[in-house]
Amino acid sequence: MAAESSDSEEEDLVSYGSALQPLQEGERIKKPVPLQEQTVKDAKGRYQRFHGAFTGGFSAGYFNTVGTKEGWTPSAFVSSRQKRAGKTVLGPEDFMDEEDLSEFGIAPKDITTTDDFASKAKDRIKEKARQIAGVVAPIPGTTAFDDLIGPSKITVGVELLRKMGWKEGQGIGPRVKRKPRRQQPDPTVKIYGCALPPGLSEGSEDEEDEYQPENVTFAPKDVMPVDLTPKENVHGLGYKGLDPSQALFGASGREHLNLFTGGSEETSNLLGDLRHSKGRKLGITGQAFGVGALEEEDDDIYATDTLSKYDTVLKDEEPGDGLYGWTAPKQYKSKKRPEREFKYIGKVLPGFSLASKPSAPIKIYPPPSLPRNYRPVHYFRPVITAGNESCHLQKALEESTGKLESDPTQQGRHALNAAQRREQLGETELKGPAPSVLEYLSEKDRERLKEVKQASEQQMKAKIVSQQSANSRFQVASPEEAAHKWQMLLGGQLANAGSSDFKPFAKNPEKQKRYENFVKSLKQGEKGERLERFFDQNMTEWERGREQEEFFRAAMFYRSSNSTLASRFTRAKYEDDVDKVEVPRDQENDIDDKETAVKMKMFGKLTRDNFEWHPDKLLCKRFNVRDPYPDSSIVGLPKVKRDKYSVFNFLTVPEPTTSVTQATNEKIQESNSLTKPKKSSRWDVSDKEKEKKDSISEFISLARSKADVQQQPPVPAKEECGAGTTETPPTVVADEDKNQEEESGRPPMDLFKAIFVSSSDEKSSSSEEESDEEQQPTTSERQSETTKQVDIADCSSSNLQENVTASTDSGISSLPTSKQELDATEEFGPKLPPAFSSGTTWQQQTEVPATFPGPSRKEKHRKTRERHKTKKERKRKKEKKKKHKKQKNKGKHKNKKAEKDSSSDTTDSSDSLSDMDTTGLSPKELLRRLKQLQY
Amino acid sequence: MAFPKPRPARAELPRQRVQSLQCGQGAVRAARFNADGNYCLTCGSDKTLKLWNPHKGTALRTYQGHGYEVLDAAGSFDNSQICSGGADKAVALWDVTTGQVVRKYRGHAGKVNCVQFNEESTIIVSGSIDSSVRCWDCRSRRPDPVQVLDEAKDGISSVKLSAHEILTGSVDGRVRRYDLRAGQLCSDYLGSPVTSVCFSKDGQCVLAASLDSTLRLLDKDTGELLGEYTGHRSTTYRLDCVLNELDTHVGCASEDGRVYFWDLLECRRRHKE
């Protein structure tokens, strides 16, 4: 209740002015401006002038007043100490400003022409008004003298009207076809005698059938100026006093010639209504005289006024004039014209006639209330087409409805269309869009279209007929025939029939199965007998035939619905990026390597990542720097779209590995730099080699490459037919145990997700490879932890470097291409192939191509077996690790020599190497064995 | 005949306290000289920023308007404006003379650790604990940053600007240098959270202080380590490091309440105070 009342109170509230703007945050409340500092300015910053704004006015001055600081003292004030102030009479001019008295002020002092003297011509209307006033005035005719004295004037409007053809005494407006009678009679013709009462004369006017010239138009009737003479006497309303003419002469008084002859005529016309129509009684009659108490006949005494004419009671009765006391000028009501004038002028269709009465207003009937069980669904009756069979029916129908189709030449009016009717009526065509495309076609095209339509209809008919006949002959027709027919019908569109989810016989699984087989074979284009075998052999022939028919129908149904649906959809142009994410193209690498580098205080290349970074254009502008990438719209790091669950999102791409084999070779570097892409990829090894001093990086990458070699020895052999078979296996590294740890170590969960969510297509590839690949990323991570064997790394790296120098002389030129080839293998896994697959490998291949035929199946089988073998052998190797370590230092020189040999003599080198590498089976060794097996 | 210029006087290390100011602002989070070194600003934890004449020891003005402690401030090159960042996640631009906030930039998701003007004071670069660096435009009335550098994986502890570079130190242990001219981002890994970075005066080196109580002088172009300065203690707090005007000494605050100075080349600790 309280809330309601408050609501209502709010509604009742009236708000004035505009609300203050809410204070902004942090803005201080302004102190109010003191009154004397308040000034009012307009929109343009000028001081607003107040009073008398149009004539100058005054600027808001002291305290927004006209006063001064000293106060307002009247100019007339004189101190009364010495002298009394003279009494001054103040006129309005005393309170006016100078501007007010100037030419455009309210009270100009200069001489100007007044209204009365402004005109040149006589104004008839005013004259008339004067005359009326003269008549009405107590002494009639007095005002007539005024006309003799007063200047007459004519206004500009009148002058204009005159120039437009208006004549005095005429009304204003378009000329009308009207009887001239209404026009004011020619003033030159003087009428003597009794004028007919106005009402009577008007009525007779209509009745008279006078000759009307066709082409004559008349100016509209002049409008009577409004008589707004003020009431100056003390008589009651409507009381006129004694009319001297009537009083003196009675009824005949009308006939007398007035003193002012010209005026009498006019006044009688002007004041027609006011004149008494009754005046039979002789003698002095009039309201002023009253009636004697003894007079019996008193109804005619008051000639003009009777008491019955006055309302004695205040009531709602409508006064006859409909004015309700309104004394404004009477409206000239347009007389009700005869209906003839409403007549429609124009042509009339045959069969139609003009209505004699205007149609009655349309009666609107309320809609019927619907029955309770009414369903608002319309059942469409079958449309009868003009086919052969239904011809009779249609005829019958037409006859029954009476719509007999007739020759277009003898069309009744019901058959007319809108255009024809329009022609007959002589109306102009409506401008609008053409109703149909056919309108735009030429006659020829239309005919052609019609032909095509007919042809297709006939085809359809033929088909239906044949189908019907087939149905009727069904028992007789052989299933082959039927099948053939169906196949014809289905045509090549069976392509996706029964493909997946459409199961018409889901209730009967056996049947469904049969159906699926059937459709499959149908798609392959098999014919009748072969189709037979899908049907149940236990069924009778009839049943089989029936089922076949059924299957055909089902197949066709599926096809049709499928195709109709397909026609309504279109393939998306772009794939949805649901499972794609935006990933920065370059990411900072894993910090493990850097961690170690930091520990080693090897700042520089190892700890640095360089990215392409796009500053904002505005930022460049503000920094006064030229935009480094003026054409790019990227801001920040460039982003790439990747699969949401891509392996590469979770694998941090390893640091560009230093391919040790190229370490010292400057020429190779040069060739590298030629082919080097701008973006550093993991295949890029270019500038790493410059710094010999940061041996840590070499060490790390070397260790990694070795580990890779050991972990996936057969992979390169498989992918590129025995790459680097004779290459020396890199000296076995000391971190074998780490390898073992890796196998037991689990990669993070995301990795699994990435592998198993993204692609299901690659499941066909060997699971062995996958497992290998899974291990790789972890390998690289672990590798970096090896920090202790720096000395060993140094040895091995230098060892390998020498190895390369020996082999480069022939391998330099071919290196870039080998790199490209390596790039091609990138797709197979995230991991870099082992380091040995660089320059020397290529050399081997080019030198002895005959020794490497393509990998056969046999070989593959062998390889898989070998792989298992290596796993076992790895364990063995681990045991021998320590021993090997010792040996490695010793075998440095030997190794060098041996590799020289290998580069010169490829086939024998492996033997010599195998002699040396007695401690463990290297992948190279395995490959060599493979080769032997092959031959 | 022109005499060769006299050798510049050897840089004197500050050895005595000239003035101490009673700020009365609670904990003073940062104190910064203006561009010409005649005035200084102190950022108080009582939400105020104070402008001082440190040579006379007079407080000139107090700037109120931050909603929480003020963490860093910087003066514009013409001393007409001040920018400051606070724990209220806002960066404010002040008019020095009126003491009013001209603009307030909201957009950081965490407290703003560091703010810097660019050379022409048209851009404010602010680093925040939300691991983003935002560049705000002082010229237009844009409410959003010109660019957001969100490469850091952890909070930004320090931001420095040169004519065309933005140098940021982050708690993720990296010093990132955004080179606007070259359109490049160089990221150096230091291994432990970086608390402060600064350019050398010659613009060739970058000094970075990290929470392993080490200052490192890195070559700007290659990222190589040029010097390492240890001996102070910095394990928990964000403390600033500096290079002196002539690039002869390296200074850094320590958690033991002293300021340490090292000779730049010899990496020897010269002085502690």
Side-chain angles (χ1 to χ4, degrees), chain B residues 114 125-127 132-133 149 152 156-161 166-170 174-178 185-186 188 194 196-197 199:
Chain B
C114 41
V125 178
S126 63
S132 73
V133 173
L149 319 175
I156 303 290
S157 56
S158 175
V159 161
K160 288 283 162 20
L161 299 186
I166 301 171
L167 185 71
T168 67
S170 169
R174 283 176 187 272
V175 176
R176 290 182 179 78
R177 186 170 58 86
Y178 299 85
L185 161 61
C186 299
D188 287 311
V194 178
S196 175
V197 286
F199 283 112

PDB file of all heavy atoms in Angstrom, chain B residues 114 125-127 132-133 149 152 156-161 166-170 174-178 185-186 188 194 196-197 199:
ATOM      1  N   CYS B 114      55.433  -0.463 -12.959  1.00  0.00           N
ATOM      2  CA  CYS B 114      56.384   0.503 -13.482  1.00  0.00           C
ATOM      3  C   CYS B 114      55.745   1.298 -14.613  1.00  0.00           C
ATOM      4  O   CYS B 114      54.941   0.769 -15.375  1.00  0.00           O
ATOM      5  CB  CYS B 114      57.633  -0.196 -13.994  1.00  0.00           C
ATOM      6  SG  CYS B 114      57.275  -1.698 -14.892  1.00  0.00           S
ATOM      7  N   VAL B 125      54.322   4.031 -21.140  1.00  0.00           N
ATOM      8  CA  VAL B 125      54.450   2.577 -21.181  1.00  0.00           C
ATOM      9  C   VAL B 125      54.410   2.090 -19.749  1.00  0.00           C
ATOM     10  O   VAL B 125      55.165   2.555 -18.903  1.00  0.00           O
ATOM     11  CB  VAL B 125      55.761   2.158 -21.866  1.00  0.00           C
ATOM     12  CG1 VAL B 125      55.891   0.660 -21.844  1.00  0.00           C
ATOM     13  CG2 VAL B 125      55.787   2.669 -23.278  1.00  0.00           C
ATOM     14  N   SER B 126      53.504   1.190 -19.493  1.00  0.00           N
ATOM     15  CA  SER B 126      53.350   0.705 -18.129  1.00  0.00           C
ATOM     16  C   SER B 126      53.445  -0.802 -18.101  1.00  0.00           C
ATOM     17  O   SER B 126      52.925  -1.486 -18.986  1.00  0.00           O
ATOM     18  CB  SER B 126      51.998   1.149 -17.569  1.00  0.00           C
ATOM     19  OG  SER B 126      50.963   0.581 -18.322  1.00  0.00           O
ATOM     20  N   GLY B 127      54.151  -1.288 -17.098  1.00  0.00           N
ATOM     21  CA  GLY B 127      54.263  -2.736 -16.920  1.00  0.00           C
ATOM     22  C   GLY B 127      53.531  -3.136 -15.674  1.00  0.00           C
ATOM     23  O   GLY B 127      53.580  -2.438 -14.663  1.00  0.00           O
ATOM     24  N   SER B 132      51.579  -7.952 -18.594  1.00  0.00           N
ATOM     25  CA  SER B 132      51.451  -7.236 -19.857  1.00  0.00           C
ATOM     26  C   SER B 132      52.082  -5.857 -19.725  1.00  0.00           C
ATOM     27  O   SER B 132      52.113  -5.268 -18.650  1.00  0.00           O
ATOM     28  CB  SER B 132      49.988  -7.098 -20.266  1.00  0.00           C
ATOM     29  OG  SER B 132      49.352  -6.154 -19.453  1.00  0.00           O
ATOM     30  N   VAL B 133      52.571  -5.403 -20.845  1.00  0.00           N
ATOM     31  CA  VAL B 133      53.063  -4.038 -20.938  1.00  0.00           C
ATOM     32  C   VAL B 133      52.090  -3.314 -21.840  1.00  0.00           C
ATOM     33  O   VAL B 133      51.747  -3.824 -22.905  1.00  0.00           O
ATOM     34  CB  VAL B 133      54.479  -4.014 -21.535  1.00  0.00           C
ATOM     35  CG1 VAL B 133      54.916  -2.595 -21.780  1.00  0.00           C
ATOM     36  CG2 VAL B 133      55.449  -4.714 -20.629  1.00  0.00           C
ATOM     37  N   LEU B 149      51.798  -5.420 -25.009  1.00  0.00           N
ATOM     38  CA  LEU B 149      52.869  -6.388 -25.207  1.00  0.00           C
ATOM     39  C   LEU B 149      52.688  -7.471 -24.149  1.00  0.00           C
ATOM     40  O   LEU B 149      53.013  -7.275 -22.986  1.00  0.00           O
ATOM     41  CB  LEU B 149      54.231  -5.711 -25.054  1.00  0.00           C
ATOM     42  CG  LEU B 149      54.362  -4.321 -25.687  1.00  0.00           C
ATOM     43  CD1 LEU B 149      55.710  -3.724 -25.357  1.00  0.00           C
ATOM     44  CD2 LEU B 149      54.203  -4.411 -27.189  1.00  0.00           C
ATOM     45  N   ALA B 152      55.230 -11.651 -22.150  1.00  0.00           N
ATOM     46  CA  ALA B 152      55.803 -12.148 -20.901  1.00  0.00           C
ATOM     47  C   ALA B 152      54.911 -13.224 -20.296  1.00  0.00           C
ATOM     48  O   ALA B 152      53.690 -13.197 -20.453  1.00  0.00           O
ATOM     49  CB  ALA B 152      55.987 -11.002 -19.927  1.00  0.00           C
ATOM     50  N   ILE B 156      55.470  -8.130 -15.039  1.00  0.00           N
ATOM     51  CA  ILE B 156      56.523  -7.236 -15.505  1.00  0.00           C
ATOM     52  C   ILE B 156      57.019  -6.459 -14.297  1.00  0.00           C
ATOM     53  O   ILE B 156      56.227  -5.867 -13.558  1.00  0.00           O
ATOM     54  CB  ILE B 156      55.975  -6.248 -16.560  1.00  0.00           C
ATOM     55  CG1 ILE B 156      55.342  -6.991 -17.727  1.00  0.00           C
ATOM     56  CG2 ILE B 156      57.065  -5.321 -17.031  1.00  0.00           C
ATOM     57  CD1 ILE B 156      56.297  -7.711 -18.595  1.00  0.00           C
ATOM     58  N   SER B 157      58.309  -6.481 -14.091  1.00  0.00           N
ATOM     59  CA  SER B 157      58.828  -5.787 -12.920  1.00  0.00           C
ATOM     60  C   SER B 157      59.452  -4.454 -13.288  1.00  0.00           C
ATOM     61  O   SER B 157      59.523  -3.559 -12.462  1.00  0.00           O
ATOM     62  CB  SER B 157      59.853  -6.664 -12.214  1.00  0.00           C
ATOM     63  OG  SER B 157      60.867  -7.030 -13.121  1.00  0.00           O
ATOM     64  N   SER B 158      59.872  -4.348 -14.530  1.00  0.00           N
ATOM     65  CA  SER B 158      60.587  -3.128 -14.866  1.00  0.00           C
ATOM     66  C   SER B 158      60.439  -2.837 -16.347  1.00  0.00           C
ATOM     67  O   SER B 158      60.435  -3.744 -17.168  1.00  0.00           O
ATOM     68  CB  SER B 158      62.056  -3.297 -14.500  1.00  0.00           C
ATOM     69  OG  SER B 158      62.778  -2.172 -14.912  1.00  0.00           O
ATOM     70  N   VAL B 159      60.325  -1.564 -16.643  1.00  0.00           N
ATOM     71  CA  VAL B 159      60.212  -1.143 -18.037  1.00  0.00           C
ATOM     72  C   VAL B 159      61.124   0.053 -18.242  1.00  0.00           C
ATOM     73  O   VAL B 159      61.167   0.952 -17.398  1.00  0.00           O
ATOM     74  CB  VAL B 159      58.753  -0.755 -18.381  1.00  0.00           C
ATOM     75  CG1 VAL B 159      58.708   0.095 -19.618  1.00  0.00           C
ATOM     76  CG2 VAL B 159      57.910  -1.971 -18.576  1.00  0.00           C
ATOM     77  N   LYS B 160      61.880   0.026 -19.303  1.00  0.00           N
ATOM     78  CA  LYS B 160      62.686   1.196 -19.650  1.00  0.00           C
ATOM     79  C   LYS B 160      62.511   1.468 -21.138  1.00  0.00           C
ATOM     80  O   LYS B 160      62.264   0.534 -21.923  1.00  0.00           O
ATOM     81  CB  LYS B 160      64.163   0.949 -19.329  1.00  0.00           C
ATOM     82  CG  LYS B 160      64.467   0.949 -17.853  1.00  0.00           C
ATOM     83  CD  LYS B 160      64.502   2.329 -17.312  1.00  0.00           C
ATOM     84  CE  LYS B 160      64.386   2.469 -15.812  1.00  0.00           C
ATOM     85  NZ  LYS B 160      64.661   1.376 -14.946  1.00  0.00           N
ATOM     86  N   LEU B 161      62.652   2.728 -21.487  1.00  0.00           N
ATOM     87  CA  LEU B 161      62.488   3.093 -22.884  1.00  0.00           C
ATOM     88  C   LEU B 161      63.730   3.809 -23.378  1.00  0.00           C
ATOM     89  O   LEU B 161      64.356   4.557 -22.635  1.00  0.00           O
ATOM     90  CB  LEU B 161      61.303   4.043 -23.059  1.00  0.00           C
ATOM     91  CG  LEU B 161      59.932   3.542 -22.668  1.00  0.00           C
ATOM     92  CD1 LEU B 161      58.898   4.569 -23.049  1.00  0.00           C
ATOM     93  CD2 LEU B 161      59.634   2.247 -23.368  1.00  0.00           C
ATOM     94  N   ILE B 166      61.764  -0.618 -26.324  1.00  0.00           N
ATOM     95  CA  ILE B 166      61.098  -0.823 -25.039  1.00  0.00           C
ATOM     96  C   ILE B 166      61.779  -2.008 -24.396  1.00  0.00           C
ATOM     97  O   ILE B 166      61.831  -3.088 -24.980  1.00  0.00           O
ATOM     98  CB  ILE B 166      59.599  -1.112 -25.225  1.00  0.00           C
ATOM     99  CG1 ILE B 166      58.918   0.035 -25.949  1.00  0.00           C
ATOM    100  CG2 ILE B 166      58.932  -1.356 -23.889  1.00  0.00           C
ATOM    101  CD1 ILE B 166      57.500  -0.257 -26.360  1.00  0.00           C
ATOM    102  N   LEU B 167      62.308  -1.775 -23.240  1.00  0.00           N
ATOM    103  CA  LEU B 167      63.016  -2.838 -22.543  1.00  0.00           C
ATOM    104  C   LEU B 167      62.194  -3.250 -21.341  1.00  0.00           C
ATOM    105  O   LEU B 167      61.801  -2.404 -20.537  1.00  0.00           O
ATOM    106  CB  LEU B 167      64.394  -2.334 -22.104  1.00  0.00           C
ATOM    107  CG  LEU B 167      65.333  -3.335 -21.462  1.00  0.00           C
ATOM    108  CD1 LEU B 167      65.835  -4.325 -22.477  1.00  0.00           C
ATOM    109  CD2 LEU B 167      66.507  -2.599 -20.829  1.00  0.00           C
ATOM    110  N   THR B 168      61.912  -4.523 -21.235  1.00  0.00           N
ATOM    111  CA  THR B 168      61.102  -4.973 -20.111  1.00  0.00           C
ATOM    112  C   THR B 168      61.809  -6.099 -19.389  1.00  0.00           C
ATOM    113  O   THR B 168      62.442  -6.956 -20.008  1.00  0.00           O
ATOM    114  CB  THR B 168      59.737  -5.506 -20.581  1.00  0.00           C
ATOM    115  OG1 THR B 168      59.944  -6.695 -21.332  1.00  0.00           O
ATOM    116  CG2 THR B 168      59.003  -4.503 -21.429  1.00  0.00           C
ATOM    117  N   GLY B 169      61.698  -6.067 -18.097  1.00  0.00           N
ATOM    118  CA  GLY B 169      62.187  -7.174 -17.288  1.00  0.00           C
ATOM    119  C   GLY B 169      61.008  -7.847 -16.640  1.00  0.00           C
ATOM    120  O   GLY B 169      60.098  -7.185 -16.134  1.00  0.00           O
ATOM    121  N   SER B 170      61.009  -9.153 -16.702  1.00  0.00           N
ATOM    122  CA  SER B 170      59.844  -9.867 -16.214  1.00  0.00           C
ATOM    123  C   SER B 170      60.241 -10.899 -15.166  1.00  0.00           C
ATOM    124  O   SER B 170      61.395 -11.326 -15.093  1.00  0.00           O
ATOM    125  CB  SER B 170      59.150 -10.558 -17.391  1.00  0.00           C
ATOM    126  OG  SER B 170      58.187 -11.447 -16.919  1.00  0.00           O
ATOM    127  N   ARG B 174      63.087 -13.266 -17.941  1.00  0.00           N
ATOM    128  CA  ARG B 174      63.528 -12.820 -19.256  1.00  0.00           C
ATOM    129  C   ARG B 174      63.590 -11.311 -19.328  1.00  0.00           C
ATOM    130  O   ARG B 174      62.787 -10.606 -18.712  1.00  0.00           O
ATOM    131  CB  ARG B 174      62.573 -13.324 -20.339  1.00  0.00           C
ATOM    132  CG  ARG B 174      62.761 -14.782 -20.672  1.00  0.00           C
ATOM    133  CD  ARG B 174      61.722 -15.213 -21.665  1.00  0.00           C
ATOM    134  NE  ARG B 174      61.757 -16.652 -21.897  1.00  0.00           N
ATOM    135  CZ  ARG B 174      62.531 -17.234 -22.816  1.00  0.00           C
ATOM    136  NH1 ARG B 174      63.339 -16.513 -23.545  1.00  0.00           N
ATOM    137  NH2 ARG B 174      62.504 -18.538 -22.963  1.00  0.00           N
ATOM    138  N   VAL B 175      64.541 -10.870 -20.089  1.00  0.00           N
ATOM    139  CA  VAL B 175      64.625  -9.464 -20.437  1.00  0.00           C
ATOM    140  C   VAL B 175      64.237  -9.362 -21.896  1.00  0.00           C
ATOM    141  O   VAL B 175      64.841 -10.019 -22.744  1.00  0.00           O
ATOM    142  CB  VAL B 175      66.051  -8.919 -20.227  1.00  0.00           C
ATOM    143  CG1 VAL B 175      66.132  -7.494 -20.696  1.00  0.00           C
ATOM    144  CG2 VAL B 175      66.435  -9.027 -18.783  1.00  0.00           C
ATOM    145  N   ARG B 176      63.202  -8.620 -22.151  1.00  0.00           N
ATOM    146  CA  ARG B 176      62.741  -8.515 -23.540  1.00  0.00           C
ATOM    147  C   ARG B 176      62.997  -7.116 -24.051  1.00  0.00           C
ATOM    148  O   ARG B 176      62.740  -6.133 -23.357  1.00  0.00           O
ATOM    149  CB  ARG B 176      61.257  -8.830 -23.632  1.00  0.00           C
ATOM    150  CG  ARG B 176      60.955 -10.284 -23.382  1.00  0.00           C
ATOM    151  CD  ARG B 176      59.481 -10.547 -23.528  1.00  0.00           C
ATOM    152  NE  ARG B 176      59.181 -11.959 -23.305  1.00  0.00           N
ATOM    153  CZ  ARG B 176      59.108 -12.524 -22.112  1.00  0.00           C
ATOM    154  NH1 ARG B 176      59.317 -11.794 -21.039  1.00  0.00           N
ATOM    155  NH2 ARG B 176      58.854 -13.807 -22.003  1.00  0.00           N
ATOM    156  N   ARG B 177      63.466  -7.069 -25.227  1.00  0.00           N
ATOM    157  CA  ARG B 177      63.712  -5.763 -25.834  1.00  0.00           C
ATOM    158  C   ARG B 177      62.904  -5.701 -27.124  1.00  0.00           C
ATOM    159  O   ARG B 177      63.109  -6.493 -28.038  1.00  0.00           O
ATOM    160  CB  ARG B 177      65.185  -5.584 -26.124  1.00  0.00           C
ATOM    161  CG  ARG B 177      65.543  -4.198 -26.614  1.00  0.00           C
ATOM    162  CD  ARG B 177      67.046  -4.027 -26.649  1.00  0.00           C
ATOM    163  NE  ARG B 177      67.650  -5.041 -27.522  1.00  0.00           N
ATOM    164  CZ  ARG B 177      67.796  -4.909 -28.841  1.00  0.00           C
ATOM    165  NH1 ARG B 177      67.377  -3.811 -29.432  1.00  0.00           N
ATOM    166  NH2 ARG B 177      68.350  -5.863 -29.569  1.00  0.00           N
ATOM    167  N   TYR B 178      61.981  -4.792 -27.161  1.00  0.00           N
ATOM    168  CA  TYR B 178      61.162  -4.608 -28.359  1.00  0.00           C
ATOM    169  C   TYR B 178      61.780  -3.478 -29.158  1.00  0.00           C
ATOM    170  O   TYR B 178      61.843  -2.351 -28.665  1.00  0.00           O
ATOM    171  CB  TYR B 178      59.727  -4.234 -27.993  1.00  0.00           C
ATOM    172  CG  TYR B 178      59.008  -5.267 -27.171  1.00  0.00           C
ATOM    173  CD1 TYR B 178      59.148  -5.286 -25.794  1.00  0.00           C
ATOM    174  CD2 TYR B 178      58.194  -6.207 -27.764  1.00  0.00           C
ATOM    175  CE1 TYR B 178      58.489  -6.224 -25.031  1.00  0.00           C
ATOM    176  CE2 TYR B 178      57.530  -7.154 -27.010  1.00  0.00           C
ATOM    177  CZ  TYR B 178      57.679  -7.154 -25.646  1.00  0.00           C
ATOM    178  OH  TYR B 178      57.029  -8.086 -24.892  1.00  0.00           O
ATOM    179  N   LEU B 185      61.712  -8.494 -31.661  1.00  0.00           N
ATOM    180  CA  LEU B 185      61.655  -8.734 -30.223  1.00  0.00           C
ATOM    181  C   LEU B 185      62.815  -9.646 -29.871  1.00  0.00           C
ATOM    182  O   LEU B 185      62.952 -10.744 -30.409  1.00  0.00           O
ATOM    183  CB  LEU B 185      60.324  -9.386 -29.853  1.00  0.00           C
ATOM    184  CG  LEU B 185      60.250 -10.118 -28.516  1.00  0.00           C
ATOM    185  CD1 LEU B 185      60.524  -9.182 -27.362  1.00  0.00           C
ATOM    186  CD2 LEU B 185      58.898 -10.764 -28.341  1.00  0.00           C
ATOM    187  N   CYS B 186      63.656  -9.166 -28.976  1.00  0.00           N
ATOM    188  CA  CYS B 186      64.763  -9.991 -28.512  1.00  0.00           C
ATOM    189  C   CYS B 186      64.477 -10.360 -27.068  1.00  0.00           C
ATOM    190  O   CYS B 186      64.176  -9.496 -26.250  1.00  0.00           O
ATOM    191  CB  CYS B 186      66.071  -9.227 -28.568  1.00  0.00           C
ATOM    192  SG  CYS B 186      66.500  -8.717 -30.211  1.00  0.00           S
ATOM    193  N   ASP B 188      65.978 -12.282 -23.828  1.00  0.00           N
ATOM    194  CA  ASP B 188      67.154 -12.899 -23.204  1.00  0.00           C
ATOM    195  C   ASP B 188      66.719 -13.590 -21.935  1.00  0.00           C
ATOM    196  O   ASP B 188      66.008 -13.008 -21.111  1.00  0.00           O
ATOM    197  CB  ASP B 188      68.195 -11.832 -22.874  1.00  0.00           C
ATOM    198  CG  ASP B 188      68.872 -11.336 -24.118  1.00  0.00           C
ATOM    199  OD1 ASP B 188      69.308 -12.185 -24.904  1.00  0.00           O
ATOM    200  OD2 ASP B 188      68.939 -10.110 -24.313  1.00  0.00           O
ATOM    201  N   VAL B 194      63.653 -11.266 -13.015  1.00  0.00           N
ATOM    202  CA  VAL B 194      64.338  -9.994 -13.224  1.00  0.00           C
ATOM    203  C   VAL B 194      63.584  -8.921 -12.445  1.00  0.00           C
ATOM    204  O   VAL B 194      62.366  -8.823 -12.526  1.00  0.00           O
ATOM    205  CB  VAL B 194      64.363  -9.657 -14.723  1.00  0.00           C
ATOM    206  CG1 VAL B 194      65.032  -8.329 -14.944  1.00  0.00           C
ATOM    207  CG2 VAL B 194      65.065 -10.745 -15.487  1.00  0.00           C
ATOM    208  N   SER B 196      64.887  -5.564 -12.199  1.00  0.00           N
ATOM    209  CA  SER B 196      65.083  -4.233 -12.756  1.00  0.00           C
ATOM    210  C   SER B 196      65.973  -4.319 -13.986  1.00  0.00           C
ATOM    211  O   SER B 196      66.882  -5.138 -14.050  1.00  0.00           O
ATOM    212  CB  SER B 196      65.721  -3.329 -11.700  1.00  0.00           C
ATOM    213  OG  SER B 196      66.023  -2.088 -12.263  1.00  0.00           O
ATOM    214  N   VAL B 197      65.661  -3.490 -14.938  1.00  0.00           N
ATOM    215  CA  VAL B 197      66.496  -3.429 -16.134  1.00  0.00           C
ATOM    216  C   VAL B 197      66.809  -1.970 -16.414  1.00  0.00           C
ATOM    217  O   VAL B 197      66.060  -1.082 -16.011  1.00  0.00           O
ATOM    218  CB  VAL B 197      65.781  -4.022 -17.366  1.00  0.00           C
ATOM    219  CG1 VAL B 197      65.723  -5.514 -17.290  1.00  0.00           C
ATOM    220  CG2 VAL B 197      64.417  -3.416 -17.552  1.00  0.00           C
ATOM    221  N   PHE B 199      69.052   0.568 -19.551  1.00  0.00           N
ATOM    222  CA  PHE B 199      69.998   0.719 -20.649  1.00  0.00           C
ATOM    223  C   PHE B 199      71.241   1.416 -20.123  1.00  0.00           C
ATOM    224  O   PHE B 199      71.167   2.207 -19.181  1.00  0.00           O
ATOM    225  CB  PHE B 199      69.391   1.612 -21.732  1.00  0.00           C
ATOM    226  CG  PHE B 199      68.378   0.933 -22.596  1.00  0.00           C
ATOM    227  CD1 PHE B 199      67.050   1.288 -22.527  1.00  0.00           C
ATOM    228  CD2 PHE B 199      68.772  -0.047 -23.496  1.00  0.00           C
ATOM    229  CE1 PHE B 199      66.122   0.678 -23.329  1.00  0.00           C
ATOM    230  CE2 PHE B 199      67.834  -0.649 -24.304  1.00  0.00           C
ATOM    231  CZ  PHE B 199      66.505  -0.296 -24.225  1.00  0.00           C
TER     232      PHE B 199
END
